[in-house]
Amino acid sequence: MSNNLYNKVYNYGALIMLSFWYKEFPQYPKDHKDFWRTRLIAHSLLITTCYFLVLTLLNLFYFASYEIALIDAFGLFISLGICIWFNKTANVNVASWAVTLMIVSLILMFVISVGGHAHSLFWATLIPPFTFFLVGRNWGSIFSAVAFAICAYLVYLQQQQTVTIGLGSLFNLIEVGLAHILIFRFYEKTRFSAYTRLSIRNLEIQHLAETDKLTGLYNRQKFDFELSQLIAKNDVFKTPHCLLICDIDHFKNINDTYGHLVGDNVLTEFAKILKKRMRNYALIAR
């Protein structure tokens, strides 16, 4: 019972924290072009703020690595500064570049400062997903190429050295692994959302292209296509089909006497009768 209560309190607290965090950022509908970039900026600033805070404390009090702690503290203040500025301006493009430059520069500063040791090079693998999503594939390619070139040079300098695996290496691997999980969870969510919206939009477009706007029946284009398909199947399977052509007697007199709006109502009601009387698999077109 106590564990369930703890889990509920923890989940509720985390939900409140995330809701409060995202509430401070610009809000866009899901079909807006900047919705997911804004979410990624918010994700990035939340993650970097928490990471830099934890890393600053670890390097300051546990590892006694004051130079690295200074870099982490610098990153913490930059992350908070971008967060405050973005909340006030809501400029997605500038914020995307600011977050990109912050992440790339701080990762490279950290990797270079430790000479690529303690498996710090793994941090460079975070640069491509961030940069590609935030500033596009062209600039993402440039940032990634520069970062990996620097990493390759550091590896070249280490080729005659003995690689040691310590607690710092373990922390780097765990932190980078968690960051990758969060990034790709976010990517998968955006991909699934975009695919779902695209599928719905395609179905709507297909429905509009095949349907008569007035009666809701299939239109001539859909009828011609389905008829050609049935004829082709009949040539192979010799399956009998039935074609029924309906005409409303004196329909022109209805339009001339009562007007076209009444004529449209007659067509609509006639279409409803056909739908009700015909079988579900029957194709009814106007």
Side-chain angles (χ1 to χ4, degrees):
M1 183 68 180
S2 59
N3 289 335
N4 292 334
L5 180 61
Y6 171 79
N7 291 332
K8 289 181 180 179
V9 172
Y10 175 81
N11 293 332
Y12 187 66
L15 183 62
I16 291 177
M17 184 186 73
L18 289 175
S19 299
F20 174 77
W21 178 267
Y22 289 124
K23 185 179 179 181
E24 300 301 316
F25 290 93
Q27 302 296 317
Y28 295 105
K30 282 193 174 183
D31 56 349
H32 193 277
K33 64 182 181 66
D34 286 329
F35 174 80
W36 288 111
R37 275 211 301 173
T38 302
R39 298 287 288 186
L40 181 59
I41 292 171
H43 273 74
S44 303
L45 292 174
L46 176 61
I47 293 171
T48 53
T49 300
C50 295
Y51 264 48
F52 284 131
L53 177 61
V54 172
L55 293 176
T56 300
L57 296 176
L58 282 174
N59 286 311
L60 191 61
F61 297 107
Y62 187 82
F63 294 108
S65 180
Y66 301 114
E67 292 182 359
I68 304 300
L70 183 62
I71 294 176
D72 293 330
F74 183 61
L76 175 62
F77 284 112
I78 291 178
S79 181
L80 289 174
I82 295 174
C83 176
I84 295 171
W85 175 84
F86 187 42
N87 288 338
K88 292 182 178 180
T89 63
N91 192 322
V92 178
N93 290 327
V94 176
S96 296
W97 274 98
V99 172
T100 299
L101 293 173
M102 175 191 69
I103 292 174
V104 173
S105 59
L106 290 173
I107 287 177
L108 292 180
M109 284 174 60
F110 169 67
V111 171
I112 294 172
S113 66
V114 298
H117 294 288
H119 292 78
S120 59
L121 296 174
F122 279 105
W123 283 100
T125 61
L126 296 174
I127 292 176
F130 272 108
T131 56
F132 272 75
F133 202 105
L134 288 174
V135 294
R137 61 177 180 269
N138 292 331
W139 281 106
S141 300
I142 294 173
F143 279 119
S144 301
V146 171
F148 289 143
I150 293 174
C151 292
Y153 178 69
L154 293 174
V155 172
Y156 172 76
L157 295 178
Q158 297 179 31
Q159 59 182 336
Q160 301 298 330
Q161 301 177 9
T162 302
V163 178
T164 58
I165 300 177
L167 192 58
S169 299
L170 179 62
F171 274 117
N172 281 327
L173 291 174
I174 292 174
E175 291 160 5
V176 173
L178 289 174
H180 271 291
I181 291 172
L182 293 173
I183 290 172
F184 285 105
R185 276 179 59 86
F186 178 83
Y187 165 77
E188 180 60 22
K189 186 176 181 180
T190 61
R191 187 196 65 81
F192 179 77
S193 176
Y195 178 78
T196 302
R197 292 201 309 273
L198 181 62
S199 299
I200 294 173
R201 190 69 56 85
N202 286 338
L203 289 175
E204 292 174 350
I205 294 173
Q206 182 180 359
H207 177 74
L208 291 174
E210 296 178 344
T211 307
D212 177 62
K213 185 177 180 180
L214 175 63
T215 61
L217 302 176
Y218 287 118
N219 58 20
R220 175 66 180 272
Q221 181 179 354
K222 175 68 172 178
F223 171 77
D224 290 341
F225 174 77
E226 292 294 336
L227 182 61
S228 63
Q229 293 292 102
L230 289 175
I231 293 174
K233 289 181 180 179
N234 184 65
D235 292 339
V236 177
F237 300 105
K238 307 301 180 183
T239 304
H241 295 91
C242 177
L243 176 63
L244 178 64
I245 300 176
C246 299
D247 180 57
I248 301 177
D249 292 337
H250 311 297
F251 182 70
K252 185 177 182 304
N253 293 336
I254 296 175
N255 281 331
D256 294 340
T257 304
Y258 301 102
H260 288 280
L261 289 178
V262 175
D264 290 345
N265 291 334
V266 171
L267 290 175
T268 302
E269 292 300 320
F270 184 60
K272 291 179 180 178
I273 294 172
L274 290 177
K275 289 180 180 179
K276 186 176 180 180
R277 297 293 183 181
M278 302 298 288
R279 296 175 180 175
N280 292 333
Y281 57 81
L283 175 69
I284 310 173
R286 180 188 176 199

